[in-house]
Structure formats: C-alpha cells, structure tokens
C-alpha cells in the first residue's frame, strides 16, 4: 500500500508527480505541509531517491523545523540526510564552504538591521556630509538592501543613476563606503547572503556541484520569493528541472520586502511543461469564514481562481463591530475575550491582529487592566535587546577578530576609559598597517599622550579576547559565554533595569544550552549563524496560555480558534488612498484574506468612527472597503449604524446588464469628492501612479503621485517632484 493513500485526491496528484516542474497552488489550510512531506517520503521510500539529493527551501525556521519533523515521523532516521532550510540558511552553508572564492573568510559575521543603521550613521559622520543629520540611516539601509536584492552592486550603480546629481553622488558614496566596511570586517548583511550565494553559483564548478547534489528542489511559499531567490532556485534547478514550487498567489503579502508575485504567476511560462495541481479543500476554517474569504479575494485580478471549500460545519457568522473610539474597540475585544475565557476557552487559542504595531498600545492597556495574559510578536525581539546585543558582540568578535563594528560596540562595555581620541589614533594605526582595530591594540604603546591606566586597560581587553579566541576549538559555547561574563564583569556593570536584564542574559544562556543539546558539537560560528537567522515567531510557545497580539504580516502561517481583526478602516486597512495603484490595493486585499483565513472557528472584525492621526482627531473615518467586498449574508453587524449605511448605499445602486460587473465591485466607502480639475487632469495625463519611468539624470523611478501640475517620483536618490510641463522632455 502506497504512503500516498493517506492523502486526498488533489493532494495525491500533487505528491505523485516527481519528475519535471510542478506547481502546487495550495490554498490556506489545505494541508500544504502535509502534501509536501508525504511527497518527499514517497520519493525516498517508494521511488528510491536518495534524501541527499533532495532540498526543500522555506522562509521560516519554524516551517523548516515542522517539515523536517514530519518527514522524520514518516521515514525515520533517513530524514537526517534531508536538507530542509530557509533561503538564508542555505546561503550561509554555501558561503561557509565556498566564501574564499569571492574574497571572504569562512568565519564571517552576519549583521542585522540595527548593525546596518549603526554603520551607515558612522559613515555619514565620517564622510562629513552637509545636512547629514537629515539623512535617515534606516531609509538608506533599505535602499541598499533593495538594490542588492535586484543584483545591483556598487560597481553597477553608476550605470543606473546620473552621478552629476548631488543626492545620487552622496548615496553612491555611502553605499560604496558601506560595502567597504562590511568587507573589511569580514561581515555580510542579510541581502549579502543571497547576493553572494548567487555570485558563488555563477562559478561553473560550484554550480555543477550543487546541481548534482540537489537534483530535486522543493520551494515552499513560492509567492514570497524575491528576484534574487528566484534566480538562485532557477540556477540550481536548470540542469534536471525537477523543481516543485508550492504557494498561494492569494497570500502574497511581502512586496514591501521585495517579494515578486510574478514568480508564481509566471511559473507556467518559465516551465512550459509544468504540471499544475490545486489544493482547495480546507481543513482549518468553517464554511462561513471560507465563503467570506473567497468573496473578498475574487476582486483581485492577480488571483488564479482557487476557491476554498470544506465539508465541515457552517459555523458562526462573522461579527462586525463599529466602535466610536479605539478605547471602545479595545474594550469590546477584551470583553469578548473575557467571556470566552469564562466559558472555558483557552487564551492560547485566541489572537488579535492589526495592520500596524502602533495599534497594540491601547489593546495592551485594556488587557493589562483585565489581568489577561498576552504576548506581542513582531516588536523588539529577544536578540535585539541591549544586553543581549552586547554579549553577542563579544561572541562575534571572538568568532571573527576582524569585526571592527562589534569591537566599537564593546570596547567600553563595561567602561574601560578608552576615549574617542584614543580610538581615532588606534584607527589610524589600523588603517596604516591594514590590520583590525583589535590587533591595533598591540601597538598602543606607540601612541603618545595616553595615560598608562588607559594603555593597560586596552591591553587587557586585547588579551581577554585573544585568550578565548585561541582556545575556541577546545571550549564549548557555554564555556566561552562563562569566560566572557566572568572576565568582563558585565553583570556587575548593569545598573538600569538590573533584574530584568540579568534574566535576559540568563535566557541567553538557556538558548546556548538548548542549542548544544539539540546540536551536539555545534561551534560558536554555527550558533551565531543560527540566532542571526531567527525570525519573529520562531520562539512562539504553543502551549503557554496567553493571547497573541501581532500584525497580520506576522500571523501568516499561523492559525487560531478565535481571531479579532482590529482597525478595519479605510486608510489603515487597507493602508491606501484615492491615488494608490491597483496592484497595491490588491496586496492589501491579499493581506486581509490572510487575516480572515487565520481563524478556525470564529472571526471578529472591528473598526472605529474616530481615531487620532498624527495628533489630530479624525471624526470622518470610513469602514474598510474590504468589509463591503465580503459576503454580506455572512456578516453579523453588532452595531446597526454601519449595517444601515451599507444597505442604504446598496439601494442607491442602479443595476443594468452593461455595468453589473462594476457594480458588484463597487465600494461605497471609497467615495471621495473630486474636483473637476482633478478629473480632467486624470483623463488627460499619460502618467499613472505606479508607472516606472526613466529620468535623464535621476535614472529609474516609480510614480507615487500624479497632480495637476506635477508628478511625485521615487528615485534611488529619493523622492523628486517633476513639473508636468517638463515631464515629456525629462522622462521616458
């Protein structure tokens, strides 16, 4: 009897097709992971394919871990030879093996977004850029990352922008210096991991090695791949073409991170002989929830027409509540949670979702006042806390003594009285001798005018790091951790929030202990790689009884019995306005679809009539247009005001055959008074919001706003306003 007999018909068809390109369109809750793991088990157990020749790529450690565990339950110890990892983890392994081919040491460190911003901030000061205080390190870091994800490196940037423009030249200089700093520190940021993995795969020797090893490639959540991930997968699969991608175009919600929905939409164009399977049977939600989600997403042109269904129960209607203020909304949600708690429902099966993290504040206040336990996901992560970053900086410097960035972070943590002038002189030595800042400490006696106590302190720091570094092969990670704490006196130096911060350090030790338990013989470098690649929901404890609060983006891949979606208002969810391009509205609609399909049993939607926006009270807030696009028979309006308004608007609509389709998608909540001049301009203008144009000086950019007399365009160098009368001459 085949192992595939345990799958439904659609799942089985998807799992049986092993050779050649396969596209599995898997709706929310359709048993995607089950199908993929059974497919892998079938390949190994029944077709005799070696697990060493199979690689599965996912987007989160949680998903990779779940897939590996399920595979192990089906095929036993053979699963140990499977490679199931995130794209970044795969890239790290590839780079650790072949990094010398692109000029990196194998003990390179991985910098997170905070590290990026810190380095860019220093570069702005170093380059003495006028008005540098007005530059945003965060925005610059994002722009650099986006360019890298498009495979545009510093040596190619000159061809993309006009260097005669001051803003372009400044950005180029920052990008160039940033690149130099990372290479000098033997470090990479997250975008580098993918970019450099692609570089290595362009080496025919390496590519052939990887292709022969991984003859069968499975990619989970394919709709979330960006351009460079697409290229990596395409390169690996190009030889044998045994590529199976699994995804759902209706859950493509990461365009802001570079995800390209066209990767999944165009799979059949890329692979003409692709086998396509649709998984539409849902095992998670009630009929009411699924019908509501289906009705909403059919408004998207980019949808490939899946329709989720279930043979389960119809379930409760979706409850829609119109609160006056955010405090009323929070009170409603918390009261509903209380009632469910009193009726024996566990808090761990409930989640409050919102569009932006800022919405959590009022909800937290109400939950605290009601003594309801909760946890927020997507805020400051554990590994981003100051004391944790400090200890990890020590570990990173011990792992990679060329890491000047982490050197600067901890040279005076705890205080060692090594001032800025001393560090400047040490930096001069390091530059002259082409050595690291840590090594420059050996020559501190050559510097005049430094107190003996400071020199002694610097030498002791160098000795501390080097003694541990030279013995890393003989020490466990726990041993290294203990050495750092005991020799630095870090814990004794903590003054503010002492108790909480010590507990955090203790938790870091627990993390190390658990890692060594799960991975016997794990090295310091491997541990640092592992925690660098940790995602926001990886540490979610399934069994702890508390409410989960998170953005809709963070909720993807999760499910809860009871879901509350807060702030369903136009301008917030969807986060768009009158001029927002249709593709962005579609992305917001997919986000709403994801939110709805997190719910298993009951779904609550709430919106407010008044909300503070940038310190000003807005009294004219419309309910989200997405509420209107849902199947109205499935909605139970707990406040009559909105229900009556909805019906009133429906009665005003005149239906005829020619306009029926438009009327079905008509959105009464997006109505806005538009001046005749605006309409005239919109009719005449050849430019539309979202269009990509090329400026003779600024290079490529995307139109953000079309006004009567000007266009607002987002270029690499930043936003620029171009007069409409000049657009014809300047834009192509």
């Amino acid at each position: 009897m085949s192992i595939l007999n345990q799958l439904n018909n659609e799942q089985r068809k998807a799992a049986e097709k092993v050779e050649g390109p396969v596209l599995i369109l898997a709706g929310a809750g359709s048993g995607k992971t089950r199908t993929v793991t059974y497919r892998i088990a079938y390949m190994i157990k029944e077709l005799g394919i070696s697990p060493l020749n199979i690689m599965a790529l996912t987007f989160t450690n949680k998903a990779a871990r779940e897939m590996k565990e399920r595979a192990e339950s089906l095929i036993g110890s053979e699963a140990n030879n499977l490679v199931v990892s995130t794209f970044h983890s795969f890239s790290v392994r590839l780079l650790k093996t072949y990094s010398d081919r692109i000029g990196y040491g194998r003990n390179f460190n991985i910098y997170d977004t905070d590290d990026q911003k810190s380095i860019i901030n220093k570069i702005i000061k170093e380059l003495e850029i006028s008005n540098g205080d007005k530059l945003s390190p965060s925005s610059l870091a994002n722009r650099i990352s986006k360019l890298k994800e498009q495979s545009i490196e510093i040596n190619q940037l000159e061809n993309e922008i006009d260097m005669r423009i001051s803003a372009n030249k400044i950005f180029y200089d920052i990008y160039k210096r940033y690149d130099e700093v990372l290479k000098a520190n033997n470090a990479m940021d997250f975008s580098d991991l993918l970019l450099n993995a692609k570089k290595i795969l362009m080496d025919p020797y390496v590519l052939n090695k990887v292709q022969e090893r991984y003859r069968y490639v499975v990619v989970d959540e394919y709709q979330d791949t960006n351009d460079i991930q697409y290229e990596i997968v395409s390169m690996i699969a190009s030889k044998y073409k045994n590529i199976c991608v699994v995804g759902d175009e209706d859950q493509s919600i990461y365009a802001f991170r570079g995800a390209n929905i066209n990767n999944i939409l165009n799979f059949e164009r890329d692979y003409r002989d692709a086998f396509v399977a649709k998984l539409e049977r849902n095992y998670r939600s009630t009929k009411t929830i699924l019908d509501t989600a289906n009705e909403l997403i059919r408004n998207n042109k980019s949808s490939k027409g899946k329709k989720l269904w279930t043979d389960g129960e119809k379930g409760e209607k979706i409850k829609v509540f119109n609160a006056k203020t955010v405090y009323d909304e929070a009170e409603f949600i918390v009261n509903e949670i209380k009632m469910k708690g009193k009726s024996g429902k566990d808090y761990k099966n409930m989640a409050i979702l919102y569009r932006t993290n800022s919405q959590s504040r009022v909800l937290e206040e109400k939950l605290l006042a009601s003594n309801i336990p909760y946890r927020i996901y997507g805020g400051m992560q554990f590994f981003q806390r100051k004391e944790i970053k400090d200890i990890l900086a020590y570990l990173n410097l011990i792992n990679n003594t060329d890491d000047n960035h982490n050197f600067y972070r901890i040279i005076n943590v705890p205080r060692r009285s090594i001032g800025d002038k001393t560090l400047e002189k040490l930096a001069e030595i390091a530059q002259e001798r082409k050595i690291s800042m840590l090594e420059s400490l050996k020559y501190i006696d050559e510097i005049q005018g430094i107190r003996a106590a400071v020199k002694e302190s610097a030498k002791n720091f160098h000795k501390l790091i080097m003694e541990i570094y030279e013995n890393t092969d003989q020490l466990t990670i726990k041993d290294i951790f203990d050495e750092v704490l005991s020799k630095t006196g870090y814990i004794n130096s903590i003054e503010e929030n002492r108790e909480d911060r010590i507990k955090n350090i203790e938790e870091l030790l627990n993390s190390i202990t658990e890692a060594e338990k799960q991975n016997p013989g794990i090295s310091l470098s491997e541990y640092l790689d592992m925690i660098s690649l940790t995602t926001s929901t990886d540490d979610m404890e399934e069994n702890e009884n508390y409410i989960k609060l998170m953005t809709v983006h963070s909720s993807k891949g999760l499910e809860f019995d009871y879901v509350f979606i807060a702030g369903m208002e136009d301008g917030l969810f969807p986060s768009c306005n009158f001029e927002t391009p249709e593709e962005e509205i579609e992305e917001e609609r997919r986000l709403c679809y994801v939110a709805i399909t997190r719910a298993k049993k009951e779904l609550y939607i709430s919106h407010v009539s008044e909300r503070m926006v940038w310190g000003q009270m807005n009294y004219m807030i419309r309910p989200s247009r997405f509420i209107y696009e849902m199947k109205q028979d499935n909605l139970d309006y707990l406040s009559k005001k909105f229900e009556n308004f909805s019906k009133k608007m429906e009665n005003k609509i005149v239906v005829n055959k020619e306009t029926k389709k438009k009327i079905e998608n008509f959105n009464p909540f997006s109505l806005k008074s538009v001046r005749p001049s605006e309409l005239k301009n919109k009719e005449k203008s050849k430019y539309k919001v979202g269009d990509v144009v090329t400026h003779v000086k600024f290079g490529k950019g995307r139109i953000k706003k079309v006004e009567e007399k000007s266009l607002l365009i987002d270029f690499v160098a930043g936003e620029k306003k171009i007069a409409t009368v000049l657009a014809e001459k300047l834009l192509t």
Side-chain angles (χ1 to χ4, degrees), residues 502-568:
I502 289 173
K503 281 183 178 176
N504 286 336
I505 294 171
E506 183 186 353
E507 189 56 35
L508 178 60
L509 176 58
N510 293 340
S511 160
I512 291 169
T513 305
E514 186 62 26
E516 291 187 319
K517 184 180 172 184
Q518 297 292 330
N519 308 277
I522 186 172
S523 68
L524 175 62
S525 179
E526 288 168 336
Y527 173 73
L528 292 171
D529 292 342
M530 184 179 78
I531 62 173
S532 293
L533 301 170
T534 300
T535 59
S536 60
T537 55
D538 282 342
D539 60 346
M540 183 175 290
E541 294 290 335
E542 306 273 342
N543 297 320
E544 289 194 31
N545 199 26
Y546 45 67
I547 302 285
K548 279 89 169 173
L549 276 68
M550 65 188 77
T551 64
V552 182
H553 282 101
S554 297
S555 75
K556 185 153 176 292
L558 306 175
E559 58 182 40
F560 308 93
D561 286 348
Y562 309 99
V563 171
F564 299 83
I565 308 174
M568 281 289 290

Side-chain angles (χ1 to χ4, degrees), residues 1-116:
M1 187 178 77
S2 174
I3 195 171
L4 300 184
N5 288 348
Q6 298 180 55
L7 303 178
N8 68 36
N9 288 335
E10 290 76 20
Q11 291 171 336
R12 178 162 185 153
K13 286 176 186 174
E16 279 180 329
K17 181 66 174 148
V18 170
E19 302 294 328
V22 176
L23 169 62
I24 303 176
L25 295 170
S30 63
K32 163 181 72 99
T33 305
R34 177 181 173 85
T35 304
V36 171
T37 49
Y38 269 82
R39 184 180 190 269
I40 291 170
Y42 171 71
M43 291 165 69
I44 296 167
K45 281 289 188 186
E46 297 186 31
L47 300 185
I49 296 168
S50 171
L52 293 169
N53 294 138
I54 302 170
M55 176 171 64
L57 294 170
T58 70
F59 277 85
T60 67
N61 295 315
K62 185 173 180 283
R65 190 165 55 247
E66 185 183 354
M67 194 179 292
K68 195 76 175 274
E69 286 170 356
R70 290 199 189 186
E72 192 173 358
S73 69
L74 294 172
I75 60 175
S77 60
E78 285 188 278
N80 295 331
N81 293 321
L82 273 172
V83 171
V84 184
S85 76
T86 64
F87 276 93
H88 287 92
S89 295
F90 165 74
S91 297
V92 168
R93 280 201 304 277
L94 190 68
L95 289 163
K96 292 289 183 182
T97 308
Y98 299 108
S99 58
D100 56 317
R101 289 176 173 261
I102 55 170
Y104 279 88
R106 294 184 182 182
N107 64 331
F108 62 84
N109 287 340
I110 302 169
Y111 287 171
D112 60 21
T113 50
D114 281 350
D115 296 324
Q116 282 182 279

Side-chain angles (χ1 to χ4, degrees), residues 103 138 343:
S138 180
S343 66

